[in-house]
Amino acid sequence: MGKAYDVMAATCPSRTVLHRIGARWTVFVVNALDDGPRRFSELKGHIRGITPKVLTETLRSLEADGLVSRHAYDENPPRVEYALTPLGRSLLVPLRAVRLWAEEHVPDIEAARSRRPTP
Amino acid sequence: MGKAYDVMAATCPSRTVLHRIGARWTVFVVNALDDGPRRFSELKGHIRGITPKVLTETLRSLEADGLVSRHAYDENPPRVEYALTPLGRSLLVPLRAVRLWAEEHVPDIEAARSRRPTP
DNA sequence: CAGAATCCTTGACGATACTG
DNA sequence: CAGTATCGTCAAGGATTCTG
């Protein structure tokens, strides 16, 4: 039997999914939730340089896609925790690998880049 | 010993690398080279919907990063083949996993999305 | 065939300030 | 603390046409 979805097909829903994963900050946020639930400010502090607006947007889309769950405690001051859903945790596996690949191969890529000075 | 690079650090080069990987079409092009070298037009035909300009740009950056190699045959009509370098093939491993994840979990994501009708 | 050239659109991302 | 609200930009991506 052939596969049901093919990212190479222009109209395939899997392409939308893959584009969402490819969004600038998805890999970072999912990886930041690797160690368990985290609060908004913890995420913001951990993913250096991300703005609250962008973090919110990213979390909202991940939530809409069922990858992240949000739990607001009825306390004062407010407390909100984000966690990976089982689906999100399944995505974490490949995304962690991508993250590790990036961290491991920085020297290789920088070497390749310096070999081709931009004119 | 701690790790040398951390994508969570704002100024870390690994973040640049990860952003490059996250570029819209990188995952598609790298996966399209899974089966071996391919010509420009083959890639264009296989990755449905990509325009020649974007394909060229993507290939050029992948080349600059040492992930893809380009070989132009001196023939007429012109023939150019693109292939993954060893470095590119090492990236293929996690990226293939991401691609498969996307293709496998379309139903889950669509279910999650329909659970939250956009107002 | 493999692209280069051109022009254009848009939405993702960012900086800053404000609020329940 | 956990966000919204605004405003601005800019570069990635796209459509089209042309060429060695």
Side-chain angles (χ1 to χ4, degrees):
Chain A
M1 60 196 239
K3 56 183 166 181
Y5 298 98
D6 180 4
V7 295
M8 299 303 177
T11 61
C12 185
S14 63
R15 178 165 291 191
T16 311
V17 172
L18 197 44
H19 275 167
R20 174 62 51 82
I21 297 175
R24 195 66 120 252
W25 293 102
T26 299
V27 187
F28 296 89
V29 171
V30 172
N31 270 289
L33 291 172
D34 197 342
D35 302 324
R38 286 203 157 173
R39 308 177 57 159
F40 187 87
S41 54
E42 286 176 327
L43 289 172
K44 194 159 81 65
H46 188 66
I47 309 170
R48 310 307 298 264
I50 195 172
T51 63
K53 184 201 165 201
V54 169
L55 179 55
T56 301
E57 287 172 352
T58 307
L59 286 169
R60 292 282 182 276
S61 1
L62 291 176
E63 218 190 325
D65 285 357
L67 299 169
V68 160
S69 66
R70 188 192 117 112
H71 187 281
Y73 295 84
D74 192 9
E75 298 177 1
N76 195 312
R79 198 171 66 132
V80 178
E81 281 194 344
Y82 294 91
L84 292 175
T85 62
L87 185 60
R89 238 171 282 121
S90 76
L91 175 59
L92 176 59
V93 177
L95 286 199
R96 187 170 16 191
V98 171
R99 177 240 180 114
L100 288 176
W101 189 96
E103 290 177 344
E104 274 168 23
H105 292 83
V106 169
D108 299 325
I109 298 218
E110 290 196 322
R113 285 182 184 170
S114 67
R115 233 173 278 127
R116 319 184 136 250
T118 18
Chain B
M1 64 198 241
K3 56 182 167 181
Y5 298 98
D6 179 6
V7 293
M8 298 302 175
T11 62
C12 185
S14 63
R15 178 164 292 190
T16 311
V17 173
L18 196 44
H19 276 166
R20 174 63 50 83
I21 298 175
R24 194 68 118 251
W25 293 102
T26 299
V27 187
F28 295 90
V29 172
V30 172
N31 269 289
L33 291 171
D34 197 343
D35 302 325
R38 287 203 158 174
R39 310 177 57 161
F40 187 86
S41 54
E42 285 176 327
L43 289 172
K44 197 159 79 66
H46 188 66
I47 309 170
R48 309 309 298 264
I50 196 172
T51 64
K53 183 202 167 202
V54 170
L55 179 55
T56 301
E57 287 170 352
T58 306
L59 286 168
R60 291 284 181 276
S61 358
L62 292 176
E63 218 189 327
D65 285 356
L67 300 168
V68 159
S69 66
R70 186 192 117 111
H71 188 280
Y73 295 84
D74 192 9
E75 299 178 357
N76 198 309
R79 198 174 115 217
V80 178
E81 281 194 344
Y82 294 92
L84 292 175
T85 63
L87 186 60
R89 238 172 282 120
S90 75
L91 176 59
L92 175 59
V93 177
L95 287 198
R96 186 170 18 191
V98 171
R99 177 241 180 111
L100 288 175
W101 188 95
E103 290 177 343
E104 274 169 23
H105 291 84
V106 169
D108 299 325
I109 299 218
E110 290 197 322
R113 285 181 185 171
S114 66
R115 236 173 275 127
R116 320 184 133 249
T118 17

